[in-house]
C-alpha cells in the first residue's frame, strides 16, 4: 500500500508539472488589501510547489473571513518552482506590504507544503522572526522529503524541488541549530497518508509545548483519509487552523475537529 501511494504521488507530481503555467500570477489577495479591517492579526496564506493560491485556499479563506480575519495570499516563486531562498525573499517584501496596509506590526502565516516550510528561511535568515507571530504549516516540508522525484525535478526545471529533498544543502542549513526562530509560535498539521512529503513525521518541529504543537489528523480523527493533495481542503484541517489562530498560533493538542 505504501509503495502504491508513493507511486501515485509521483505520478500526480509529474501531471501537475505538465500543467503548470509558464509564469505565476503576481501577488494578489483574497481580501481587499486596502480595505479589510479587523481587530485580529492579518493572516498571510502561502501555496505549495506546483500550486497557486486559488487552488489552495478555496476552503480556508472564506472561513477566515467568516471568523473575522483579513487574509492575504502571495503567489510566489513562479508557481513555487524557484529556489526556496528566492521565494522567501519575495515573502519578506510581501509581509512588509501587509504590515503597512493593515497597521499591524506582526502577521500570522498559514502555509501548505513548501509554503509551510519556506517561511522558516525568512524567519531565520531574513529578519522575519520579528515580524511574524506564528507559522501554521499544513503538510510542510520542514525536513525535506525522501521522495526520489524531488532530486530529479530539482536537476531539471524545479530548483525548489531539489531544495526540498531530504538532506539537501538547503534543508541542512535551514534546520541547523534547531527548528525554531525568535519567539515565533508554530503548529504543524499532518496526515499519515502523505505520499509527497515523506516520511510524514519529518514534517514535525521540535520545541517546547508552549511554542509548538504537531497535529496528526488521524490521531484526532481516525476516519480522516486526507493525503497530501487534499489536506488543505479538509474540514478538519480548516478547524485546526482556526483553533491555532485563536490560541495565538499554538493549537490545542486536545482539540477534536471531527465528530
Amino acid at each position: 500500500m505504501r509503495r502504491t501511494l508513493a507511486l501515485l504521488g509521483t505520478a500526480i507530481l509529474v501531471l501537475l508539472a505538465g500543467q503548470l503555467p509558464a509564469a505565476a500570477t503576481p501577488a494578489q489577495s483574497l481580501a481587499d488589501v486596502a480595505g479589510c479591517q479587523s481587530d485580529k492579526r492579518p493572516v498571510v496564506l502561502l501555496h505549495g510547489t506546483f500550486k497557486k493560491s486559488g487552488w489552495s485556499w478555496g476552503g480556508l479563506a472564506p472561513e477566515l473571513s467568516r471568523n473575522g480575519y483579513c487574509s492575504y495570499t502571495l503567489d510566489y516563486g513562479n508557481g513555487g518552482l524557484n529556489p526556496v531562498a528566492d521565494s522567501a525573499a519575495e515573502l519578506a517584501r510581501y509581509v512588509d506590504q501587509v504590515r503597512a496596509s493593515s497597521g499591524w506590526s506582526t502577521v500570522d502565516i498559514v502555509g501548505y507544503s513548501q509554503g509551510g516550510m519556506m517561511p522558516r528561511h525568512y524567519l531565520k535568515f531574513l529578519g522575519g522572526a520579528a515580524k511574524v507571530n506564528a507559522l501554521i504549516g499544513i503538510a510542510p516540508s520542514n525536513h525535506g522529503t525522501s521522495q526520489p522525484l524531488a532530486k530529479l525535478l530539482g536537476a531539471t526545471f524545479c530548483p525548489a524541488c531539489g531544495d526540498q529533498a531530504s538532506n539537501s544543502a538547503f534543508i541542512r542549513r535551514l534546520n541547523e541549530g534547531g527548528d525554531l526562530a525568535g519567539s515565533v509560535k508554530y503548529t504543524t498539521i499532518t496526515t499519515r497518508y502523505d505520499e509527497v512529503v515523506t516520511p510524514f513525521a519529518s514534517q514535525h518541529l521540535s520545541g517546547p509545548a508552549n511554542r509548538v504543537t504537531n497535529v496528526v489528523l488521524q490521531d484526532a480523527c481516525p476516519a480522516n483519509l486526507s493525503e497530501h493533495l487534499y489536506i488543505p481542503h479538509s474540514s478538519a484541517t480548516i478547524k485546526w487552523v482556526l483553533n491555532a489562530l485563536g490560541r495565538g498560533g499554538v493549537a490545542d493538542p486536545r482539540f477534536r475537529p471531527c465528530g
Side-chain angles (χ1 to χ4, degrees):
M1 175 61 74
R2 290 182 180 178
R3 178 173 174 78
T4 300
L5 287 172
L7 291 173
L8 176 61
T10 297
I12 290 170
L13 284 175
V14 171
L15 177 62
L16 288 171
Q19 294 177 344
L20 195 71
T25 305
Q28 51 188 256
S29 174
L30 293 176
D32 179 358
V33 176
C36 186
Q37 299 293 323
S38 175
D39 60 357
K40 297 181 178 180
R41 186 178 287 105
V43 180
V44 174
L45 303 175
L46 300 172
H47 60 79
T49 315
F50 304 127
K51 297 292 188 293
K52 297 174 76 172
S53 296
W55 183 92
S56 301
W57 306 121
L60 177 60
E63 286 302 314
L64 289 172
S65 180
R66 276 192 281 271
N67 283 272
Y69 294 93
C70 295
S71 62
Y72 304 84
T73 65
L74 173 64
D75 284 329
Y76 65 87
N78 189 28
L81 295 181
N82 293 348
V84 177
D86 292 353
S87 295
E90 286 187 55
L91 174 61
R93 294 189 292 270
Y94 191 67
V95 167
D96 284 344
Q97 293 174 18
V98 172
R99 292 168 62 236
S101 174
S102 66
W104 281 79
S105 60
T106 60
V107 304
D108 288 329
I109 296 176
V110 179
Y112 164 56
S113 196
Q114 180 190 161
M117 174 276 293
M118 175 268 283
R120 293 182 54 226
H121 181 92
Y122 164 55
L123 299 178
K124 186 171 183 178
F125 300 113
L126 303 179
K131 302 175 183 179
V132 174
N133 169 69
L135 171 60
I136 301 168
I138 301 170
S141 50
N142 280 320
H143 297 96
T145 177
S146 62
Q147 286 286 355
L149 186 61
K151 291 183 179 180
L152 175 63
L153 295 180
T156 54
F157 68 95
C158 178
C161 297
D163 284 345
Q164 292 175 90
S166 297
N167 205 38
S168 70
F170 177 86
I171 288 294
R172 290 197 305 271
R173 182 169 182 252
L174 177 66
N175 293 301
E176 184 178 13
D179 291 342
L180 312 187
S183 59
V184 178
K185 295 176 282 293
Y186 301 81
T187 293
T188 70
I189 304 169
T190 66
T191 171
R192 295 185 186 277
Y193 301 119
D194 200 309
E195 75 286 19
V196 176
V197 181
T198 57
F200 82 90
S202 69
Q203 301 169 24
H204 297 167
L205 297 173
S206 297
N210 65 337
R211 291 188 60 192
V212 179
T213 294
N214 295 301
V215 172
V216 181
L217 286 183
Q218 289 76 29
D219 287 350
C221 306
N224 191 300
L225 298 179
S226 298
E227 39 62 69
H228 190 81
L229 293 180
Y230 186 74
I231 189 172
H233 310 290
S234 168
S235 62
T237 299
I238 292 169
K239 291 175 183 177
W240 270 117
V241 170
L242 291 170
N243 178 267
L245 290 173
R247 288 170 43 86
V250 182
D252 181 355
R254 299 165 298 179
F255 178 62
R256 294 296 178 262
C258 52

